[in-house]
Amino acid sequence: MPKVVYPGSFDPVTNGHMNIIERCAERFEQVIVAVLVNVEKEPLFSAQERLEMLRLCCGHLPNVEVDGFSGLLVDYVRRRGADFIVKGLRAISDFESELQQALMNRRLAPEVDTLFMMTDVEYSFLSSHIVKEIARLGGAVGNLVPPAVEERLRRKLRSEG
Ligand code: ADP
């Protein structure tokens, strides 16, 4: 049974990410959720906070590990001895950039394949970006993110003023 890496910025983790993580946990021996530490854009949550939230949300999944990485994803995947990279797909619009990344990663590391998992339809509109936007405008995000994230999002935006 393979070991997979599910990478992302998770700023913050949403119910859409959790759906992919839970489905991977059922299907693979080991799942490493890999948080991209050096995100290009300024993230709302620090790497430490993003890791902490994911660890809280994945506590009930014994075969899921949450880890941080920087640098090339394929180097991290090799270092961890994983078999596949898993990516979630929401819409056709995700496809083009994911295809480009997957092809480039295979060129860099021919032994590492990327598997795509389709989102559950109820999460197809959901992204970390939209969650932050709704929360900033005072909307309710309770059904879009895990409870621990909702609480931290509220606190973070309050402290930002
Ligand atoms: P976002 O696009 O939400 O800012 P990330 O960079 O954290 O996300 O995404 C990490 C991975 O999770 C990517 O493969 C992305 O396509 C996938 N993903 C994000 N949101 C969803 C969702 N609602 N359903 C399925 N996959 C998703």
Side-chain angles (χ1 to χ4, degrees), residues 6-11 14 16-17 20 86-90 94 98 119 123-124 126-129:
Y6 175 45
S9 38
F10 305 101
D11 184 39
T14 68
H17 295 127
I20 299 284
V86 168
K87 290 300 200 76
L89 282 184
R90 280 162 292 196
D94 276 346
E98 291 294 352
T119 181
Y123 305 117
S124 59
L126 188 51
S127 69
S128 297
H129 176 79

Side-chain angles (χ1 to χ4, degrees), residues 42-97:
E42 185 65 21
L44 177 63
F45 291 97
S46 70
Q48 206 49 47
E49 291 172 318
R50 285 179 279 137
L51 284 160
E52 216 173 276
M53 283 187 278
L54 269 163
R55 289 199 176 110
L56 273 174
C57 298
C58 296
H60 63 296
L61 302 166
N63 59 337
V64 174
E65 176 194 334
V66 177
D67 191 17
F69 83 102
S70 53
L72 273 183
L73 175 62
V74 288
D75 287 342
Y76 177 76
V77 172
R78 277 178 169 151
R79 206 161 57 238
R80 297 301 315 263
D83 304 283
F84 299 108
I85 296 167
V86 168
K87 290 300 200 76
L89 282 184
R90 280 162 292 196
I92 300 171
S93 53
D94 276 346
F95 184 77
E96 201 171 333
S97 74

